[in-house]
Amino acid sequence: MPESRRSNRGPSAAAENRAALVAAAREVFASAGYNAPLSTVARAAGVGQGSLYRHFPDRISLAMAVFEDGVTELEALAARPGTTLDDLLALLTEQTIASTAFIDMVTATPPAEPDPRILDLRDRVSRVLAGVLGDARRAGTVRADVTADDLVLVIGMLAGVLAKISAPARRDTAARVWALLRQGIAP
């Protein structure tokens, strides 16, 4: 049953509307993908499209707000002492299972003129992975020639597979994919 539209409370509702839009977009992108109609997001948030566009002038702005939390969580984990590459890949895998749209956006081959906001997000993820890659190489769990960009590509490959299967099957499939992919990055 669609949510009823909220009454217009003017500027005092701006923060609440923005939060509702981000939460709705997270759910819509997770279930219908990054290219889901933005009108669906507005309806799910219980606001009009005008409110959506006041907060987020384009799809990428909305996606960035949704996925910022995931990247921040990844950066926070990486900042903890003792965090390993496996820890980061486990979190990225969980994020991929929950929202293939996030990973699709970050790992997709950029168009001829990529949006700098997407490139920045991708670079942040790559930097986080690069930060622990040296330790993984020294521990002998990753080949010396594997780069952070290779790992971003691997996560994108995982997302591509998970996007094509039902949500309930994603966790088992992710485990199978990692079992195969780890053979390719191991020494």
Side-chain angles (χ1 to χ4, degrees):
M1 178 174 170
E3 290 187 32
S4 62
R5 203 158 165 209
R6 299 178 196 168
S7 61
N8 186 343
R9 295 183 303 149
S12 66
E16 182 181 322
N17 287 348
R18 186 182 191 287
L21 284 161
V22 170
R26 182 175 287 113
E27 289 179 25
V28 170
F29 289 167
S31 63
Y34 174 67
N35 291 314
L38 294 182
S39 59
T40 303
V41 174
R43 270 193 308 278
V47 301
Q49 282 189 255
S51 181
L52 184 145
Y53 287 110
R54 271 191 298 282
H55 290 283
F56 306 104
D58 56 29
R59 179 179 302 277
I60 293 172
S61 297
L62 178 59
M64 296 297 289
V66 170
F67 303 130
E68 177 67 28
D69 290 345
V71 175
T72 300
E73 184 180 7
L74 192 64
E75 290 168 336
L77 176 61
R80 288 188 211 146
T83 297
T84 66
L85 178 61
D86 284 340
D87 296 332
L88 292 175
L89 292 177
L91 177 56
L92 272 168
T93 300
E94 287 302 314
Q95 291 175 345
T96 303
I97 289 167
S99 180
T100 58
F102 164 67
I103 303 300
D104 281 346
M105 187 178 89
V106 173
T107 62
T109 303
E113 304 239 358
D115 188 295
R117 295 170 292 179
I118 294 174
L119 293 178
D120 179 60
L121 194 62
R122 177 189 168 94
D123 290 347
R124 285 173 60 194
V125 171
S126 187
R127 280 192 303 272
V128 165
L129 292 170
V132 297
L133 194 53
D135 292 339
R137 287 184 190 124
R138 285 186 290 282
T141 59
V142 175
R143 288 192 338 243
D145 63 333
V146 173
T147 67
D149 286 339
D150 292 334
L151 295 176
V152 170
L153 178 62
V154 167
I155 294 294
M157 292 164 54
L158 174 65
V161 169
L162 296 182
K164 292 175 177 52
I165 62 170
S166 67
R170 287 180 181 164
R171 188 165 312 288
D172 289 339
T173 302
R176 289 176 52 217
V177 167
W178 271 118
L180 294 169
L181 289 174
R182 284 191 184 277
Q183 294 173 25
I185 64 172

